Amino acid sequence: MNTIDIGPWSFRAPSDWKKVEGVNGIPYLESKDGTKGCYIKALTLGRTYSSATEAAAYLQGVHERNFVADPKAKWEVKQRSASTAGATASSILDLLDASSNYRVLSVVVAAPDAAVQLTLHDYACEDYRASVQAFEPVATSIRGPRSGA
């Protein structure tokens, strides 16, 4: 696993995932075989939310609406959860389109004025449990925000 720093945030990604050109300038890591990937967004929020929980829920809600708006996809919500730890809040959204063998795991960690969002994609999700195990170390490794970064 390699540590990836983005703004005041960090997380761990598999060593064989390499940075490739992302969409619209959003950093993207991809597995050597191209079956898994991760979009990375570090955000300074345009306004300060009343709580980290509110910020995380807002960002995750926008992300979810964008996915479910796709008329070609048949997304099933496998997990939706929220938690807090100190001054940050986390929101997890796990989507699966079984007919396409496509899984998306969105993890948001937010403070009231900043956030990071990792969107992990499994483009060949034939074994949901194996995909969960593959993404779990990345999803749980997010740290931050560090002050002054």
Side-chain angles (χ1 to χ4, degrees):
M1 299 286 277
N2 291 327
T3 299
I4 310 295
D5 293 311
I6 181 156
W9 307 92
S10 67
F11 67 97
R12 310 253 313 140
S15 300
D16 73 327
W17 287 18
K18 302 298 179 206
K19 186 176 180 183
V20 296
E21 189 168 331
V23 177
N24 298 325
I26 298 170
Y28 180 72
L29 300 173
E30 189 172 75
S31 64
K32 191 174 188 173
D33 66 3
T35 63
K36 292 178 180 51
C38 178
Y39 287 95
I40 309 160
K41 292 182 191 175
L43 306 159
T44 301
L45 303 176
R47 63 174 266 233
T48 299
Y49 287 83
S50 63
S51 69
T53 302
E54 180 187 6
Y58 171 77
L59 292 170
Q60 195 68 274
V62 169
H63 203 60
E64 181 176 4
R65 284 189 296 279
N66 287 333
F67 274 98
V68 299
D70 180 356
K72 296 176 189 168
K74 297 178 180 116
W75 295 114
E76 173 190 356
V77 176
K78 299 296 279 183
Q79 178 189 3
R80 182 191 319 266
S81 64
S83 62
T84 58
T88 62
S90 299
S91 176
I92 294 174
L93 177 64
D94 189 349
L95 299 170
L96 178 67
D97 182 340
S99 65
S100 298
N101 293 328
Y102 184 19
R103 177 176 179 234
V104 174
L105 178 65
S106 174
V107 181
V108 174
V109 178
D113 60 351
V116 66
Q117 181 171 35
L118 301 182
T119 308
L120 298 147
H121 294 258
D122 186 341
Y123 304 107
C125 184
E126 294 180 8
D127 182 341
Y128 177 77
R129 286 186 180 163
S131 183
V132 168
Q133 290 177 337
F135 286 168
E136 190 271 339
V138 178
T140 60
S141 71
I142 300 171
R143 301 292 179 260
R146 295 179 311 277
S147 60

